[in-house]
Amino acid sequence: MTSYLMTNCRRLLHILATLIMANSGLNQVLCRVYADNLAGKPCRPNIVIILADDIGYGDLSCYGAKHARTPHLDRLAKEGLRYTDAHSPASTCTPTRRAILTGTYSWRQQPGSSIAPGNMPLAIPPGTPTIASLLKQAGYTTGAVGKWHLGLGGEEGPQWNDEIKPGPLEIGFDYAFLMPATGDRVPTVYLEDHRIVGLDPNDPIEVSYKQKVGSEPTGRENPELLKLKHTHGHDMTIVNGVGRIGWMTGGRAARWTDEEMADTFAKKSVAFIERSGDKPFFLYLATHGIHVPRVPHPRFVGKSAGGTRGDAIEELDDTVGQVLAALDRLKLADDTLVLFTSDNGGVMDDGYEDVGRFDYHPNAPLRGTKGTLYEGGHRVPLLARWPGHVPAGAVSDALVAGLDFFAAFASLTNQPMPGDGAGDSFDMLPTLLGQTMLAPVRPHFVAHIGGTQGPFALRSGTWKLIEAGKGGYGKGAKPAAAKSGASPERDRFGTKPQLYNLADDPAEEKDLAAAQPERLAELQSLLKKIRETPRSVDVR
């Protein structure tokens, strides 16, 4: 009850702050949304989250990219809001996905805090509040399509040849069509609700991440069978001419074709939207693009200026276009909030040999890549569109994170925040509606790579602390190196903490730790407090 009252008090403050300001059309939108909520009338637009994989801050045309064309994503930016200081909760995939769905930092618990193997048990225990369960409670039909990578099954992991649960349907989703883990991990099959799609019971699947199973060729033993060469790892069972992480045998009729994956996920997403009828829907579309292996459909091969990776970006943009076209065709665009973001920063060589250009930095003008604590590891594109509510063609420099979707959706649909979850989710709805209010929505943000022990990075205002310690597996590039086409550096955090003022130094080139020891100590103390406080929304 206390949480509910506090939530409504915050909404009332939003209204008062808005009324104090100029009576623009935008502020009228804010007043209408919040007034409806306080009057007990839920505001229930359809909600679509498109979570891309490994898209960097500088990978979209609307963020300055020249190596690929993204007209559909550019349309979202033109018709909606583009954020310049949005962050994935982690700089790797699994912990970001868990944090977005739960509104809780993944470093707070071991399951789901690091990149998950393909046979890991479900990282989100049933009963955990999720965006899906929140919106289902608000009357939404909920669906998950695409990359899951949050584990499946009970303590023993997924039973591939039987019903596979618990899974998405046990944490709030009504429907699921998934890649169980990642494109470079076995098993290379799709899961629909609780079962493998197209599995022949006479050809059962066996999966191992410890030792080879079956007699199928591997990238290590049979490199002549590969159509896509690996640069490191990814040399186990070959499926569709691509070596994978892990070994599998069986399930031949159920195996996916990499070139068809983007279209498959787009079609399943559109079908889910079409089935929803008059009921509001929530679609969580987690694309495979542009994670490795990058094997785009033939109609995209050679189309970009950026080689294989650029082709994959244009294929991802096409997936977004198919979803937007469906919303237009069904006359749902005006009633749908669409959010596009990425699970972490971009990376070039992530285990397979791409073809084409490598003289650009996917996260320009930021330093670092996926798997690092520099801005390039976790500052990502975020686009939002909801015609008539989200301001068109606007740019926001508000500090927000994927964690904040949870509280925004709760506020939007007039649902109370759970007392036992989502404690790291700040209400970003005012920023979505184009109003940052009188104070920042998110006063701080903690980034991590994986695991529960760090190292961590902390944002507080424009200041950033990076803890000492090893971390990161990606190849980072300083902006100067990216511009000149020089070989990228490999980022290491060293033995001393680092301190940057991003207002003057967004590329993190001037370490101020030695020059400003008091500021450094202040941020170290704040980080300690956040880590020790179960709900970071209580730390101001």
Side-chain angles (χ1 to χ4, degrees):
M1 187 62 178
T2 300
S3 174
Y4 181 76
L5 290 173
M6 289 180 63
T7 299
N8 278 299
C9 285
R10 286 196 297 270
R11 290 179 183 136
L12 180 58
L13 288 173
H14 291 330
I15 294 175
L16 293 174
T18 302
L19 291 173
I20 290 170
M21 299 177 137
N23 283 324
S24 67
L26 173 59
N27 287 330
Q28 292 173 20
V29 167
L30 269 169
C31 289
R32 184 168 67 251
V33 170
Y34 286 122
D36 283 350
N37 281 345
L38 283 173
K41 296 187 295 184
C43 184
R44 300 194 303 176
N46 305 310
I47 298 173
V48 176
I49 293 177
I50 303 176
L51 180 63
D53 202 319
D54 292 357
I55 281 288
Y57 188 83
D59 270 334
L60 309 183
S61 303
C62 52
Y63 282 84
K66 303 298 183 185
H67 51 279
R69 296 160 298 184
T70 55
H72 300 295
L73 287 160
D74 298 346
R75 176 190 170 194
L76 277 183
K78 182 179 179 181
E79 298 176 358
L81 177 64
R82 180 173 66 88
Y83 286 83
T84 61
D85 200 4
H87 296 260
S88 58
S91 62
T92 52
C93 46
T94 299
T96 281
R97 293 162 198 278
R98 191 191 195 285
I100 286 177
L101 288 177
T102 64
T104 301
Y105 283 121
S106 291
W107 48 260
R108 292 196 184 277
Q109 67 288 303
Q110 186 59 47
S113 66
S114 300
I115 299 175
N119 57 357
M120 189 182 85
L122 182 64
I124 303 175
T128 302
T130 66
I131 289 176
S133 64
L134 174 90
L135 292 176
K136 190 170 183 177
Q137 178 180 303
Y140 282 66
T141 298
T142 57
V145 175
K147 176 178 173 178
W148 185 239
H149 206 194
L150 286 166
L152 292 163
E155 293 181 0
E156 301 301 318
Q159 305 302 307
W160 299 114
N161 303 295
D162 201 347
E163 277 200 320
I164 302 171
K165 60 181 183 181
L169 273 59
E170 283 66 50
I171 59 170
F173 288 101
D174 296 310
Y175 171 75
F177 184 92
L178 307 171
M179 169 202 301
T182 64
D184 56 348
R185 284 173 172 78
V186 298
T188 54
V189 295
Y190 296 126
L191 174 75
E192 189 162 31
D193 292 338
H194 287 136
R195 291 193 177 274
I196 298 298
V197 177
L199 180 62
D200 181 353
N202 296 314
D203 186 24
I205 292 175
E206 185 178 356
V207 171
S208 175
Y209 280 82
K210 295 181 179 180
Q211 59 189 13
K212 184 177 180 179
V213 293
S215 58
E216 298 191 42
T218 68
R220 185 179 306 169
E221 299 167 345
N222 307 97
E224 73 281 0
L225 300 179
L226 296 172
K227 65 181 180 185
L228 182 64
K229 296 181 180 179
H230 52 268
T231 57
H232 55 272
H234 304 87
D235 60 356
M236 300 172 192
T237 299
I238 297 174
V239 178
N240 190 36
V242 180
R244 314 285 168 158
I245 298 173
W247 294 272
M248 73 173 290
T249 188
R252 290 166 183 80
R255 297 182 186 186
W256 67 53
T257 300
D258 299 84
E259 291 87 345
E260 299 172 358
M261 185 176 291
D263 285 336
T264 298
F265 289 157
K267 290 175 182 176
K268 291 294 181 179
S269 297
V270 170
F272 170 77
I273 294 172
E274 291 172 337
R275 289 195 305 271
S276 297
D278 295 331
K279 194 174 182 181
F281 64 82
F282 166 54
L283 170 63
Y284 170 72
L285 168 55
T287 69
H288 166 63
I290 61 168
H291 195 280
V292 295
R294 292 189 268 267
V295 191
H297 190 278
R299 71 180 187 276
F300 296 101
V301 174
K303 297 298 183 181
S304 77
T308 306
R309 190 173 181 278
D311 297 345
I313 293 173
E314 297 199 3
E315 182 178 54
L316 167 68
D317 183 73
D318 179 77
T319 295
V320 174
Q322 291 186 52
V323 173
L324 297 183
L327 295 175
D328 290 339
R329 173 172 54 83
L330 298 169
K331 296 180 170 49
L332 294 172
D334 288 348
D335 300 317
T336 303
L337 169 62
V338 179
L339 295 164
F340 173 91
T341 191
S342 180
D343 66 341
N344 45 246
V347 65
M348 301 294 275
D349 179 359
D350 206 18
Y352 294 94
E353 193 174 88
D354 284 335
V355 176
R357 283 181 53 195
F358 306 102
D359 60 345
Y360 66 91
H361 181 32
N363 307 303
L366 309 174
R367 181 181 181 182
T369 67
K370 169 185 178 177
T372 73
L373 290 177
Y374 296 111
E375 289 293 286
H378 50 83
R379 190 186 294 206
V380 293
L382 174 58
L383 304 172
R385 188 191 76 172
W386 181 17
H389 297 81
V390 172
V395 177
S396 172
D397 62 359
L399 174 63
V400 296
L403 290 150
D404 302 329
F405 296 162
F406 196 118
F409 298 163
S411 186
L412 182 62
T413 60
N414 202 28
Q415 296 297 305
M417 286 289 284
D420 58 345
D424 299 310
S425 184
F426 289 82
D427 185 359
M428 65 179 286
L429 182 61
T431 74
L432 284 170
L433 299 179
Q435 186 61 70
T436 56
M437 297 294 110
L438 302 178
V441 168
R442 172 173 278 279
H444 45 68
F445 166 67
V446 178
H448 77 130
I449 300 166
T452 61
Q453 301 303 312
F456 298 97
L458 171 69
R459 274 288 302 279
S460 178
T462 64
W463 287 92
K464 180 175 178 181
L465 162 72
I466 298 179
E467 286 191 313
K470 295 180 180 179
Y473 66 88
K475 294 179 180 178
K478 290 183 178 179
K483 291 176 183 176
S484 66
S487 298
E489 67 171 5
R490 182 170 291 275
D491 284 316
R492 286 289 179 263
F493 304 142
T495 58
K496 297 180 180 180
Q498 300 171 46
L499 178 69
Y500 299 99
N501 185 353
L502 299 180
D504 303 322
D505 181 26
E508 297 171 289
E509 295 179 316
K510 303 170 187 175
D511 183 1
L512 301 176
Q516 299 216 29
E518 292 183 0
R519 177 76 68 174
L520 178 66
E522 176 186 326
L523 264 64
Q524 289 173 324
S525 176
L526 177 59
L527 176 59
K528 183 175 186 291
K529 185 176 181 180
I530 293 170
R531 291 196 62 203
E532 292 175 350
T533 304
R535 299 170 57 85
S536 65
V537 293
D538 297 330
V539 180
R540 296 282 179 167

